[in-house]
Amino acid sequence: MRDAAAARTAATAHGAHGAHGPGAPAGDGADAPAGNGPGTGSPAPAGGGPGEGPGRAAEGYAAARVRLLQDTALSGPDRRRALCGLTDRWLAGLFTAKAPTGTALVAVGGYGHGELSPRSDLDLLLLHDGTIDTAALAALADHLWYPVWDLGLALDHSVRTLGEARAAAEDDLKVQLGLLDARHVAGDQDLTAQLRTAALARWRAEARSRLPELREYAGERARRHGELRFLLEPDLKEARGGLRDLTALRAVAASWLADAPREGLREARDTLLDVRDALHLTTGRATDRLALQDQDQVAAALGLLDADTLLRRVYEAAGAVGYASDVTWREVERVLRARGGTPRGTRLRGLLGGGRRTGGRPGAPVRERTPLAEGVVEHEGEAALALHARPDRDPVLPLRAAAAAAQAGVPLALPAVRKLARSAPPLPVPWPAEAREEFVTLLGAGEATVPVWEALDAAGLITRLLPDWERVRCRPQRNPVHRYTVDRHLVETAVRAAALTRRVHRPDLLLTGALLHDIGKGWPGDHSVTGETIAGDLAARIGFDAADTRTLATLVRHHLLLVETATRRNLDDPATIRSVAEAVGSPGTLELLHALTEADALATGPAAWSSWRATLVSDLVSRVAAVLAGEPVADRTADRELTAEGERLAMEAWRTGGPVLALRTHKTGHTGGEGAAAVPGGGGADGGPEPVGVELSVALPEQSGVLPAVAGVLALHKLTVRAADLRLAELPAALTEGGSTAASDVTTVASHGTTVAGDFATAAEGESATAETPRVLLLTWRVAARYGSLPQAARLREDLVRALDGSLGLALRLAEREAAYRPRRTAIQPPPPRATVAPGDSAAATVIEVRAQDAPGLLHRIGQALEEAGVRVRSAHVSTLGANAVDAFYVTDAAGEPLSDVVAARLAQQVETALR
């Protein structure tokens, strides 16, 4: 074993290195992950050390390391420096015992920066002058590497000459970054000094080409790992705003071209490293991902209140790093442009996505100090303060500068932000009209609002303007449907609302309502109720009059009303429409609420909005608008006559004695005809209207168990249920005479969707059926294919027949599907299902609302529970957001009457028990 290892080590004397070598980007925890054996940057199996001396030294180091990590008096940077010093002394002892002249042991990457986390790997370079015998070099490497492996420590190692190190850096940007943090550990100090001097000199000389490459690398990493401050399970190192970005900022500073803003950056770095240290110690693993199941332990180890407090602190640190990165890269781009040094073919400005050239064509000079607003000019692609500006005498200037920058599509210059934060006096309360107008102008700039808002926020100006903002700043949202923190979601909602301002009469109220709609999430209780009060206070502070303040408070209180009603309630029930109309109060508020609903959903994430949801909300809005205009609300819950298609299916079902199925497409704005292709998700293949659902009609003679059977079969075929309608039709005897007809299947286009709304109608009350009266159940379902194309109607019919006669084994097959659907690793245990009674939501039925983790067969299980309880289902409304399902069922007793309070409560408990 030792001979083979020596041979491998000898090979590295000519430039080979471990799998991660000094290639890990330097510093701030940028150590590379471990590989799988000697020579690959990972721990080797215990044993096999080169001698008892190193073995005893290793034992002493291991014991001292344990004591240090268990010392509660040491934490944070002090502990990291102490661990680094302890490791330095141990490695120096190993090196000195065997090192020939002309060699040096150099720490690079994260270890080279002088701070070591508990489970960080050791980034080591064995540097030599090229005169050392290969066998002696191999023996020295063995003497160093094996004790590290024997202790189970991750090792990233390489053996190189100065020339080989330089060549590796030229070929690999990561190696170059690692060498920027080269630090002498033992041996020939002159050799280490030459390495470091050469690395820094070459980095500065090649900065014009290397920095755009580094920016490109950072952008690619951000695309792969996401933005740290918006992730529920962030990677503290790789995600944007993490430790790798701090490494990049230090590299930029080392180039002498630009430097990062210093405010809060050291604190942010210490926060990220402290969290990673606690993560290493609590999990015992070398991990950088702050997984959900580890967050409570990490928070406790850091003395924080809970996991949300931990995430908020991490997000604040990541926000500081991200903002510093944006400012730094803008400065790099400016310097390179000024020197005419942007390399040909490199589009750094495009990568940054910021600023604009006022010259109008690529390469045109930027005009100096173009006026943007009173006291604000555009200078070198940024909004700066004019020379005559007096921020100490102009309290509106921060908002005027921000609005001008956003409307011009340029960032606020860092010096301007700093001066405004330092000098501008507070605005009077209520704000003057100019301040309110500039505030609305800032919110209405669309995407350009975001970087300007973040610049103000980083300087503390937002919380100065809106004190309640501090409660939502960097606040995490545990619902995976949300892609942003609360504060960023509010800004994004305003961005989305800016595109809808032409649809409303009061754009200022829409934009302000969008920014404030979730402001109550910083406080305990229902955030809509709490937010109503806070929004009213802030609206008065901003300077809106009493009527506008009431409107904004109403928007915040009811910002979820339209989408929740449209997707969870029966829109044919007059009580539903009246209740919404009473809550909204006026056509103008309804108009604003409609736009806010869409903006909020679009800002939340792709699972929160779809053409189907838009159709449902628009339908609700049109009905409520009619009521607010004085029109009577129509009661559409009464039995309706069968359509010709429904009558045909019912007759076929009666004549054949079994289920008859048909599929038909419904598109936005009209009902589509028949087709033969199935296209999952998105619009039609011909670029026509986007399908909002596929209608599945099922007719069969009256019998029990139909609802759970059909729901179960649809789940088996991976169909998402959006809407359902059930009617008990009585066919005149005359219509049932004559020959039978064959069932016809129609395959249609499918699109994704997540909501169910519809109506199950029973036979008219008081009517009695005789033995001669044919009774047929007619079900209409709106469905979408979860994956791939729709199944054949004939296959659905076959499985439905078997489900009804019990030969399909529906419950068992659904359980198997649910087990396969369940993730292999669940980070958190979802909350238990809950079923409640929604009192007063309907005069004709009792509404049972079910909230549960979405899973295949969930609707089947709910239907089975309702079937066993002996109630009739009049309508069902299903809404799925991410992993959460919220379903509402309108039920009556056998006589068609709403349930009593006692029976309804017992039914809710039965459903809840069935789902646990």
Side-chain angles (χ1 to χ4, degrees), residues 481-777:
V481 172
H482 278 279
R483 57 185 169 182
Y484 294 125
T485 51
V486 177
D487 59 334
R488 180 65 174 82
H489 169 70
L490 293 175
V491 176
E492 184 66 21
T493 305
V495 169
R496 299 287 185 164
L500 306 177
T501 51
R502 300 297 182 268
R503 285 173 26 182
V504 299
H505 290 85
R506 289 294 303 275
D508 56 336
L509 296 183
L510 172 61
L511 292 168
T512 306
L515 185 76
L516 300 180
H517 75 278
D518 274 349
I519 197 70
K521 286 187 174 179
W523 298 85
D526 185 332
H527 76 280
S528 298
V529 176
T530 307
E532 179 181 15
T533 301
I534 299 172
D537 292 343
L538 288 175
R541 178 187 183 88
I542 293 169
F544 287 103
D545 62 26
D548 288 347
T549 295
R550 287 193 297 271
T551 299
L552 285 169
T554 300
L555 291 179
V556 173
R557 174 65 181 88
H558 296 298
H559 70 273
L560 296 175
L561 177 65
L562 296 184
V563 70
E564 288 186 346
T565 302
T567 58
R568 303 176 190 175
R569 295 296 181 262
N570 185 1
L571 302 190
D572 289 334
D573 192 327
T576 298
I577 307 303
R578 289 194 192 101
S579 67
V580 175
E582 290 172 4
V584 172
S586 70
T589 303
L590 178 64
E591 177 187 72
L592 290 168
L593 202 58
H594 188 189
L596 175 58
T597 298
E598 182 174 342
D600 183 19
L602 291 171
T604 297
W609 196 246
S610 64
S611 58
W612 177 247
R613 279 177 175 262
T615 300
L616 292 176
V617 171
S618 294
D619 183 21
L620 172 61
V621 168
S622 65
R623 298 186 192 206
V624 173
V627 172
L628 293 174
E631 298 178 17
V633 58
D635 185 350
R636 306 182 189 181
T637 60
D639 293 305
R640 303 180 300 273
E641 292 187 4
L642 288 178
T643 63
E645 174 72 6
E647 185 176 287
R648 181 184 69 81
L649 293 175
M651 290 179 59
E652 290 182 13
W654 176 256
R655 293 173 187 270
T656 60
V660 178
L661 282 75
L663 289 170
R664 187 176 301 277
T665 297
H666 284 259
K667 294 186 176 183
T668 303
H670 70 281
T671 300
E674 302 179 1
V679 183
D686 59 356
E690 179 185 0
V692 297
V694 175
E695 186 175 278
L696 169 65
S697 298
V698 181
L700 70 170
E702 181 188 14
Q703 58 188 289
S704 62
V706 173
L707 174 61
V710 176
V713 169
L714 296 180
L716 279 183
H717 287 270
K718 303 178 182 178
L719 292 175
T720 297
V721 177
R722 288 175 164 175
D725 176 274
L726 171 63
R727 340 185 43 195
L728 182 57
E730 296 182 357
L731 301 179
L735 291 179
T736 63
E737 298 175 358
S740 64
T741 59
S744 65
D745 299 334
V746 181
T747 304
T748 59
V749 177
S751 75
H752 293 299
T754 56
T755 65
V756 170
D759 175 68
F760 290 25
T762 59
E765 297 174 22
E767 293 186 7
S768 59
T770 66
E772 291 78 21
T773 303
R775 296 166 65 96
V776 175
L777 283 170

